[in-house]
Each structure stands twice: as structure tokens, then as C-alpha cells.
Amino acid sequence: SGRHGEHAEAVAAAAAADPWSAPAALRLAMLRLAEYEQQPSKERLDAVDHATASMLRLTPQKSEAWVKASEIDEAIYRQTSDRKWLESGLEHQQQAIELYPGSPQLHARLAELLQGAGDSNAAADAARQALKFDQLMEAGGHNDRRIPAAKREKMREIADKSATFDAENPPPVQ
């Protein structure tokens, strides 16, 4: 539509006008993803990748940027089924955790990604970390940083599934 085109041009112009603006780079990455999702092509996928890389270059120490990059990768993976994007999403999420290791939300997101990748043991470890940090946030009175109740329950299920699986299928004796 015309309005979308005008908006897209404005976002691209803002990013070009201030190549050091992290918010403009983020908006451009999200715009490029939306354009790719509407009409997938190699050129549009390259534009998403370029915009995401620019965003990360401008904010290498912000866990939020790495999470956003992980979300972008996950969206592309859902559209393409190319595991390269899943792996990239996992790497970006792990980088976010390195920058903010005490965040229960970041560990919970990693657990969900790992579960989706079929790595139930690593997913369970991440879910247990999420629950541990969630308890610490609760103990410290930081309820604003806790995992929502429904996601907490999902983390318990992911963590328990692995424990049940391991108990029923012990590793082979070496």
C-alpha cells in the first residue's frame, strides 16, 4: 500500500541519515524482515541479514539487540526451514545471555529455541536456569523481571520432560 511504502522509505531514510543510530537500525531490520515475510526473495533476505548485522554492530553490548536478532533469525527459519537460521538464532540468544546472564526471560527463550531445535537435554538445562533465576528475582522482590506464570509452567514442563526421559532411557554404559 502507499502508506506502507512511505513508511518504509522514511525508515530507510532515517537509517541512512544517521548510520550511528541504533534505534533506526533496529527499525530498519524489522522493516526488512516484514518486507521479506510479505514477498520472500534472496535479495530481501540479504537485506534483512545486512540490516540485522548493522544493528548488532551499533549495539554489541545490548542484550536486547541480540534477542531481536535471534527473533529475526527464528522468523526466517520458520519461513525457510533452513537450519542455518535456527543455529544463528541460538547463537544470538546465547550472546544475549552472556551479556545478561541473570535474566530468567533470556534463559526461557533459549529453552524454547532449543526445544524447537530438538535438543531436549540442553532445553531442560536452559529451563532449569530460567526457573532458578526466576526464583532469585522473586526472592529479591524484582517481580517485574520474573517470567510470566504461563511461561514458568512451560519451563517446568521442559525441565521435567528431560528428567523423565533420562530416567526412562539411561545413557549406555561406557
Side-chain angles (χ1 to χ4, degrees), residues 54-128:
S54 294
M55 174 188 71
L56 292 174
R57 233 184 347 269
L58 291 170
T59 56
Q61 297 301 318
K62 293 198 84 114
S63 63
E64 299 89 352
W66 292 93
V67 170
K68 193 53 74 178
S70 176
E71 290 170 352
I72 289 169
D73 294 337
E74 183 184 15
I76 294 170
Y77 170 69
R78 279 196 311 270
Q79 187 134 1
T80 64
S81 299
D82 183 343
R83 284 193 66 90
K84 159 183 117 167
W85 294 102
L86 178 62
E87 296 299 324
S88 180
L90 286 166
E91 289 172 20
H92 287 143
Q93 190 64 29
Q94 288 165 334
Q95 180 61 36
I97 288 171
E98 273 188 43
L99 293 169
Y100 188 4
S103 168
Q105 291 92 345
L106 296 183
H107 289 280
R109 177 163 164 65
L110 180 62
E112 291 172 330
L113 287 172
L114 288 164
Q115 184 185 41
D119 192 342
S120 61
N121 288 332
D125 289 343
R128 284 191 280 275

Side-chain angles (χ1 to χ4, degrees), residues 3-27:
R3 288 194 75 112
H4 175 75
E6 290 172 24
H7 174 72
E9 287 176 28
V11 169
D18 188 357
W20 299 106
S21 169
L26 170 61
R27 283 191 297 276

